[in-house]
Amino acid sequence: MTRIMTQTFTKAALLAMSLAITGPLHAETAALASHLRATELVEQALAAHGGLSAMQDAGGFEVRLEGTYDLTTRLQGRSPFSDEPTPIFERIVFDADTGRVSYDVDMFNYYSSNQRLREIYDDQRRMVYIDKRNRDAGWVPIQTVPDSRERLTRVLPRVLLAEALDRARSLRYVGPDQADGQTVDVVSFTSSDGDALTVSLDQQKHLLRSVSAVIDMPLLGLVEVRWRWADYGEHDAAGVFPRRLQVTLGNRVLKDVGMEADFGSFSDAFEAPEGTVIG
């Protein structure tokens, strides 16, 4: 009886040891397969968008966005002004040689006055803030400048996909899903600033359809913000390019804009308007 009990205990112990060993191995194998599949899909998508070489060889890119912006959604339903979306024009320029990014915005702000701003981000963790309407400007040394540069340049799908590959160690395959009547492959990665981004890629054409993240809003709490690209077409300089971008916050549309783009060098984007006083 003692011998039988000993044999039974030994088998149980060996089984437990086997499970203890194979369990982590199975998890590591699954994680590796997920990582490799996600990397493959993002590489396919970057190639489908035309890669980065044409943009880099041209010296950079310019993206122009024009449409509407909902201040009430941005202020979590607490805007004291009109509930109607306000017109907005944005221009984002990336200089490939210096790494600088310029951002222009023309819209009505929270105080119901016209806002005409230019922000220039350099590679030294600094930003020049220019009020084009009042001809006033100043340097702002902030630690999140590289972070802000990435957030702005993500408007161009191929830049976001390249960022995902740069963060390849965090890439994971989530699985297939349905979005706007299309089958998409969903992958996730963690950006350099720690944002967990979920990326949806068209299964057939491998084009970027959406990117989402969960953010913490003061009044709404945890809420999803999602960027959706649509109306893809051929562009002489930019290759395959989306002509529309919609940003939603929760279940409300925050921004709905048409997109235009060009590749090249745009030095005017990094200048202050004549007469501007830089403090």
Side-chain angles (χ1 to χ4, degrees):
M1 176 64 75
T2 301
R3 183 178 180 182
I4 293 175
M5 290 179 64
T6 301
Q7 289 177 341
T8 301
F9 174 78
T10 302
K11 290 179 180 179
L14 290 174
L15 178 60
M17 290 178 60
S18 176
L19 290 174
I21 295 172
T22 59
L25 288 177
H26 177 74
E28 289 180 7
T29 301
L32 178 61
S34 174
H35 165 73
L36 293 176
R37 179 59 175 154
T39 303
E40 177 188 25
L41 288 169
V42 175
E43 287 176 342
Q44 287 178 346
L46 182 57
H49 282 275
L52 290 179
S53 58
M55 180 267 289
Q56 292 171 333
D57 292 344
F61 69 79
E62 173 194 50
V63 175
R64 300 175 299 279
L65 309 166
E66 188 167 8
T68 58
Y69 186 89
D70 194 332
L71 283 172
T72 302
T73 298
R74 174 65 183 86
L75 296 175
Q76 305 167 78
R78 297 300 181 92
S79 173
F81 306 109
S82 172
D83 288 337
E84 295 297 321
T86 182
I88 185 172
F89 173 80
E90 298 171 289
R91 182 192 186 204
I92 299 170
V93 174
F94 170 70
D95 186 273
D97 294 330
T98 64
R100 293 185 301 169
V101 175
S102 172
Y103 172 67
D104 283 70
V105 60
D106 188 342
M107 64 175 290
F108 281 95
N109 65 10
Y110 312 125
Y111 304 102
S112 196
S113 62
N114 186 248
Q115 187 179 51
R116 298 180 62 241
L117 303 176
R118 170 170 291 173
E119 299 170 359
I120 301 174
Y121 299 84
D122 68 10
D123 59 354
Q124 302 297 317
R125 293 180 176 267
R126 300 181 303 173
M127 176 188 79
V128 178
Y129 182 87
I130 302 172
D131 183 340
K132 293 192 289 184
R133 189 183 64 171
N134 296 315
R135 295 291 195 270
D136 188 24
W139 283 97
V140 181
I142 54 177
Q143 295 301 309
T144 56
V145 165
D147 182 34
S148 300
R149 289 159 61 200
E150 288 180 356
R151 289 175 184 269
L152 288 169
T153 55
R154 282 176 195 155
V155 70
L156 198 64
R158 68 189 68 196
V159 173
L160 187 143
L161 294 167
E163 180 188 353
L165 289 178
D166 285 341
R167 305 287 298 171
R169 292 186 63 179
S170 66
L171 267 173
R172 295 293 182 270
Y173 179 56
V174 179
D177 198 2
Q178 292 291 317
D180 301 323
Q182 297 176 321
T183 302
V184 295
D185 281 312
V186 181
V187 304
S188 66
F189 76 97
T190 303
S191 69
S192 59
D193 56 330
D195 288 337
L197 301 178
T198 301
V199 180
S200 296
L201 305 168
D202 188 318
Q203 260 192 4
Q204 298 299 317
K205 298 181 179 180
H206 308 298
L207 299 176
L208 178 64
R209 290 301 176 187
S210 72
V211 174
S212 64
V214 176
I215 61 176
D216 191 359
M217 301 290 287
L219 298 179
L220 300 178
L222 296 178
V223 62
E224 181 189 71
V225 58
R226 181 179 294 269
W227 298 262
R228 290 186 176 90
W229 289 266
D231 298 343
Y232 276 91
E234 290 289 338
H235 188 286
D236 291 341
V240 178
F241 185 78
R243 295 186 175 92
R244 180 154 296 278
L245 170 65
Q246 185 182 82
V247 183
T248 55
L249 186 65
N251 60 359
R252 295 191 57 165
V253 176
L254 175 63
K255 182 165 64 175
D256 192 2
V257 292
M259 295 181 63
E260 295 181 352
D262 283 302
F263 287 174
S265 180
F266 305 90
S267 59
D268 67 294
F270 300 95
E271 300 171 353
E274 185 176 352
T276 300
V277 177
I278 301 180

